[in-house]
Amino acid sequence: YWRPQIEWALKTLAAGESIAWNPDLSFGIPMLSDPSFQFFYPPTWVLLLVSPSWAYTFLVVVHAFWGGLGISRLIGKAGFAEGAAVGAVAFVCAGPFVSMANLWHHYCGASWIPWVLYSTRRALDPEGSWRPLALSVGAQALAGSAEGLMMSMGAVVFLNLRSGIKVRTLMAFGRALVIGGLIGCAQWIPTLYNFSESARRDFSVGLKLSWSVSPKSLPEIVIPGRPAARQITTENVNIPPDFFDLRFITQQYLGS
């Protein structure tokens, strides 16, 4: 899915033409406004120097090291420097992280989660700076994973909710989020505009949720055995129950 479209984009750029729209796939699809292609994300620009195969390898390896380094810094900042290396290895080898390597934007976004948490701790320090947090939030937004950004914000709230926060540090935190959000606007404003103009906006609830995991199935993540298959009906199409077999989720998270 990724390589043919990236090759088209590189060929089109070399011809001096716009890559905003790819007319050769699915009756035409947006490219620049698709966050999964990360055209505004600086590591993607290595494609201008090396082949797509090497660029993808670079993307995976560098973000693995980056995520591990972020975890080690976060653990050290929390006062457990002796366990920093173990934490980094555990993060890089965790099933959920490794399994996202073929979902490049989610993978890159996940590697920024520890940096957002680490930068938050720095921003909330009386002598800390808000700028690293702004850059971390902005970079994660440009990486293209809205889910990763939401997980970062959820973790930030969870880890800092009970700590006493002064008004000055709270203002610094808010300033960082605003600047980070403005950085991400380069990608997400065109994305939201295209979404508002698309047919996806008018899908039925059943169709929108056809790939979602029901909250009542969450115990299956930690309870062994074959998860109960479920029947999903979207519009006039009956999807076989085993099409949504969730065993891969169970294996992935039990592995971690």
Side-chain angles (χ1 to χ4, degrees):
Y1 179 75
W2 178 85
R3 180 163 182 160
Q5 299 190 65
I6 290 297
E7 289 178 339
W8 171 86
L10 293 173
K11 180 180 177 181
T12 304
L13 282 174
E17 300 174 3
S18 170
I19 58 172
W21 186 266
N22 182 354
D24 300 332
L25 187 68
S26 301
F27 301 102
I29 61 170
M31 291 289 289
L32 281 177
S33 61
D34 185 339
S36 71
F37 290 114
Q38 306 173 310
F39 286 112
F40 298 96
Y41 186 52
T44 304
W45 304 340
V46 75
L47 282 161
L48 299 175
L49 304 175
V50 298
S51 69
S53 295
W54 279 103
Y56 204 99
T57 301
F58 170 85
L59 201 73
V60 171
V61 173
V62 167
H63 282 86
F65 277 104
W66 185 244
L69 180 61
I71 283 289
S72 68
R73 290 289 182 87
L74 177 63
I75 293 174
K77 185 72 173 175
F80 300 98
E82 294 84 357
V86 175
V89 172
F91 177 83
V92 173
C93 296
F97 183 68
V98 173
S99 68
M100 285 191 291
N102 68 328
L103 297 171
W104 53 94
H105 57 304
H106 294 315
Y107 181 82
C108 296
S111 75
W112 279 98
I113 292 176
W115 285 102
V116 171
L117 299 178
Y118 170 69
S119 301
T120 297
R121 295 186 72 95
R122 288 189 59 185
L124 295 180
D125 282 345
E127 304 298 326
S129 171
W130 56 270
R131 292 175 180 83
L133 177 59
L135 292 175
S136 297
V137 170
Q140 190 178 33
L142 294 180
S145 175
E147 294 89 336
L149 193 57
M150 291 173 65
M151 283 190 279
S152 292
M153 294 300 101
V156 164
V157 172
F158 177 78
L159 293 176
N160 297 282
L161 191 61
R162 292 185 296 177
S163 60
I165 301 175
K166 297 181 180 180
V167 174
R168 189 183 70 82
T169 56
L170 193 60
M171 290 178 63
F173 181 71
R175 188 183 301 120
L177 293 185
V178 170
I179 299 300
L182 290 175
I183 294 172
C185 281
Q187 176 64 69
W188 286 98
I189 286 181
T191 298
L192 293 173
Y193 174 78
N194 269 347
F195 176 78
S196 69
E197 297 291 318
S198 72
R200 192 181 187 93
R201 178 192 60 182
D202 301 319
F203 284 173
S204 67
V205 173
L207 191 56
K208 287 179 180 178
L209 298 180
S210 60
W211 283 96
S212 298
V213 178
S214 171
K216 65 183 179 182
S217 69
L218 292 179
E220 296 168 358
I221 293 175
V222 294
I223 298 176
R226 187 177 187 277
R230 56 198 178 102
Q231 181 77 26
I232 297 292
T233 302
T234 58
E235 304 297 339
N236 297 319
V237 180
N238 290 321
I239 300 176
D242 57 357
F243 188 73
F244 286 96
D245 190 337
L246 300 179
R247 279 181 293 176
F248 74 98
I249 293 182
T250 307
Q251 293 167 353
Q252 173 179 313
Y253 283 89
L254 286 182
S256 71

